[in-house]
């Protein structure tokens, strides 16, 4: 029998963009996930768990079609239909909302789970982000956007991310200028793609080729330069406020800006009115949060009204999502459960002492190879904070860096 040639790739090698989450980080991720879901529950957001796989037309329906290039596709052997692995949970939230909500009903949903991307969002990024987010359906006003934005900020603060910078934009401004030019749908989409690249020379040539007048070209020039602080919003309101839809969008941004300053004085704010990423998906306010020395956004979201139309219900909707993995290093590592070393043995009183500690929420690891603890420095190096020892007929927990303490329920 001919021997098989060794594979060029080791059996343990994972595909590019995928990684194992090892115990320490897995514990941090799970702790943060639980904390975020508890946070959302306190705001009235109820968790749902959508399936990893759906029919492709459901995942890519309507304005979610721009997710096509990010979606893994395969054939369902049971039905022969094409299915996709979710690359974003927001379309699934829209489907669920359309199924369970009545017209005019307000619905708050949240979620946490892995999504799969055909390609990473940025160089060196994961193709299996752990996505956490919240969506608010049925409320069209800026108050809903403010609630979702505030919850996104609270999420990052909960995960101990400091020095946050929040970038605000509004897709409605670019749409209003395109409406003023009278462009039909195909031309509008072409223009928005150019705006997404922020290529002003190309935009100017394109507008000139479509016969746009000087006034409209100047308006687009103002839009491309509209990025910075609060003064940019106020100045642009004077420059482009003659477009009613632009004025309404700027009023919303000013409302959001003022409220966020009052709620989070430490939060840095900036705006970029020419930002139209996801223009096929979003319909209004856009926002992204950045941390110190972070090139990619830590969390982002915005308004996406009408996404449920393909499911038979066109509803106002706004929400945000974040990938939990990149922000884990910012999560507080100390102050959690400290590991207690316990000796080996099967004595009933030892078992009862260990069980009592575990019921108190302590983490106890029994060392089956030893009945006496090693030296304190060695145990500290191994990650232990305390030792379970027996003295005077009772079991006691002795901190490795302090005096003995007795557990709450000593076992006789």
């Amino acid at each position: 029998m001919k021997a098989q040639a060794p594979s060029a790739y080791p059996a343990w090698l994972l595909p590019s963009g995928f990684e194992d989450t090892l115990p320490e980080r897995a514990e941090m991720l799970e702790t943060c996930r639980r904390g975020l879901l508890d946070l959302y529950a306190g705001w009235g957001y109820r968790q749902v768990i959508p399936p990893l796989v759906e029919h492709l037309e459901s995942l890519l329906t309507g304005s979610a079609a721009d997710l096509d290039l990010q979606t893994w596709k395969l054939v369902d052997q049971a039905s022969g239909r094409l299915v996709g692995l979710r690359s974003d949970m927001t379309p699934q939230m829209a489907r669920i909302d359309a199924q369970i909500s009545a017209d005019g009903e307000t619905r708050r949903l949240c979620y946490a789970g892995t999504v799969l991307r055909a390609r990473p969002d940025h160089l060196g990024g994961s193709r299996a982000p752990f996505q956490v987010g919240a969506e608010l359906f049925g409320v069209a006003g800026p108050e809903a956007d403010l609630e979702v934005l505030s919850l996104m900020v609270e999420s990052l603060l909960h995960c101990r991310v400091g020095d946050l910078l929040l970038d605000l934009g509004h897709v409605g401004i670019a749409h209003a200028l395109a409406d003023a030019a009278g462009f039909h749908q195909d031309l509008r989409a072409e223009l928005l793609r150019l705006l997404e690249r922020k290529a002003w020379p190309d935009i100017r040539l394109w507008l000139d080729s479509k016969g746009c007048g000087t006034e409209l070209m100047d308006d687009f020039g103002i839009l491309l330069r509209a990025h910075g602080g609060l003064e940019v919003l106020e100045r642009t309101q004077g420059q482009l406020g003659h477009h009613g839809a632009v004025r309404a969008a700027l009023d919303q941004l000013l409302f959001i800006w003022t409220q966020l300053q009052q709620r989070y004085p430490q939060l840095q704010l900036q705006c970029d009115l020419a930002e139209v990423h996801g223009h096929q998906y979003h319909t209004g306010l856009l926002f992204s949060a950045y941390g110190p020395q972070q090139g990619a956004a830590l969390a982002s979201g915005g308004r996406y009204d009408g996404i449920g139309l393909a499911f038979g219900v066109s509803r106002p909707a706004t929400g945000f999502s974040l990938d939990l993995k990149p922000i884990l290093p910012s999560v507080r590592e100390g102050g959690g459960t400290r590991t207690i070393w316990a000796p080996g043995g099967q004595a009933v009183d030892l078992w009862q002492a260990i069980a009592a500690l575990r019921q108190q929420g302590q983490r106890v690891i029994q060392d089956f190879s030893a009945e006496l603890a090693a030296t304190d420095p060695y145990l500290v190096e191994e990650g232990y904070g305390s030792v379970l020892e027996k003295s005077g007929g009772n079991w006691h927990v002795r901190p490795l860096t302090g005096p003995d303490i007795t557990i709450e329920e000593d076992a006789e």
Side-chain angles (χ1 to χ4, degrees):
M1 185 174 179
K2 186 178 180 180
Q4 288 185 332
S7 171
Y9 302 100
W12 48 262
L13 187 65
L14 295 174
S16 174
F18 293 89
E19 67 285 324
D20 292 313
T21 304
L22 298 179
E24 183 176 348
R25 284 180 60 80
E27 182 177 318
M28 293 168 65
L29 188 148
E30 177 61 15
T31 299
C32 199
R33 182 195 71 86
R34 292 177 192 171
L36 288 175
L37 291 176
D38 288 344
L39 171 67
Y40 301 160
W43 288 52
Y45 288 77
R46 303 184 66 185
Q47 184 186 6
V48 293
I49 305 176
L52 182 63
V53 176
E54 289 201 34
H55 292 126
L56 198 59
E57 59 269 25
S58 177
L59 288 176
L60 303 181
T61 189
S63 54
D66 62 341
L67 299 174
D68 184 34
L69 293 178
Q70 284 284 38
T71 302
W72 294 73
K73 306 171 182 70
L74 60 153
V75 175
D76 179 7
Q77 296 186 20
S79 66
R81 296 179 61 182
L82 200 60
V83 296
L85 303 176
R86 66 185 183 209
S87 60
D88 188 284
M89 289 202 209
T90 303
Q92 295 182 297
M93 297 301 106
R95 175 184 56 76
I96 291 172
D97 173 70
Q99 289 177 309
I100 65 176
S101 298
D103 189 28
E105 181 180 3
T106 299
R107 177 77 60 180
R108 291 174 170 86
L109 300 175
C110 64
Y111 52 87
T114 298
V115 296
L116 296 173
R117 304 274 169 82
R119 60 188 70 183
D121 290 333
H122 54 86
L123 185 64
S126 173
R127 291 199 287 169
F130 193 90
Q131 191 178 62
V132 180
E135 315 291 334
L136 173 53
F137 297 95
V139 184
E143 297 83 4
D145 295 312
L146 177 62
E147 175 174 300
V148 165
L149 245 172
S150 299
L151 189 55
M152 185 183 79
V153 172
E154 294 286 348
S155 299
L156 294 171
L157 294 177
H158 172 83
C159 294
R160 310 288 175 173
V161 181
D163 299 325
L164 284 175
L165 170 66
L166 188 63
D167 187 68
L168 301 175
H170 201 296
V171 173
I173 298 174
H175 281 288
L177 295 184
D179 288 340
F183 293 139
H184 59 71
Q185 186 172 357
D186 291 341
L187 287 178
R188 174 199 295 266
E190 193 175 341
L191 174 60
L192 290 173
R193 283 194 294 270
L194 289 172
L195 282 172
E196 195 165 14
R197 289 166 39 204
K198 298 183 180 177
W200 174 232
D202 294 341
I203 294 170
R204 178 181 287 275
L205 289 172
W206 188 91
L207 290 171
D208 186 57
S209 71
K210 300 300 181 287
C212 294
T214 303
E215 183 178 350
L216 190 59
M217 293 179 68
D218 289 344
D219 286 348
F220 276 103
I222 292 170
L223 177 64
L224 267 293
R225 295 188 297 271
H227 51 82
L230 179 61
E231 73 283 353
V232 172
L233 292 180
E234 296 170 341
R235 183 178 68 243
T236 307
Q237 199 169 37
Q239 294 171 322
L240 299 179
H242 55 281
H243 299 284
V246 173
R247 185 170 61 253
L250 291 170
D251 286 343
Q252 290 179 14
L253 284 169
L254 285 167
F255 167 76
I256 295 290
W257 190 293
T258 302
Q259 294 298 317
L260 287 174
Q261 279 188 323
Q262 294 175 357
R263 294 183 180 189
Y264 306 103
Q266 77 281 17
L267 185 64
Q268 301 178 63
L269 295 173
Q270 69 178 29
C271 67
D272 186 350
L273 303 186
E275 183 58 66
V276 293
H277 70 270
H279 57 83
Q280 298 178 32
Y281 189 79
H282 291 289
T283 59
L285 185 73
L286 291 172
F287 45 84
S288 298
Y290 298 85
Q293 299 179 341
Q294 294 281 349
L298 298 178
S300 59
R303 179 161 289 279
Y304 54 100
D305 295 342
I307 190 175
L309 182 60
F311 304 113
V313 181
S314 180
R315 303 247 292 157
T318 182
F320 77 91
S321 66
L322 59 88
D323 179 7
L324 200 50
K325 292 179 181 178
I327 64 176
L328 284 183
S330 301
V331 177
R332 180 183 59 181
E333 297 185 28
T337 301
R338 299 297 301 274
T339 303
I340 301 173
W341 182 93
Q346 305 304 318
V348 173
D349 62 341
L350 172 60
W351 165 252
Q352 291 174 341
I354 292 173
L357 287 166
R358 287 171 175 165
Q359 288 174 3
Q360 296 168 20
Q362 301 295 323
R363 177 167 50 205
V364 185
I365 296 179
Q366 193 172 13
D367 186 351
F368 300 116
S369 65
E371 295 190 5
L372 294 176
T375 62
D376 284 9
Y378 174 79
L379 291 175
V380 170
E381 185 178 344
E382 290 298 305
Y384 293 98
S386 306
V387 173
L388 183 62
E389 296 177 333
K390 191 172 187 179
S391 63
N394 291 325
W395 288 98
H396 302 266
V397 175
R398 176 176 65 82
L400 291 174
T401 55
D404 292 1
I405 58 171
T406 304
I407 61 175
E408 291 185 11
E409 296 180 19
D410 285 334
E412 294 298 325

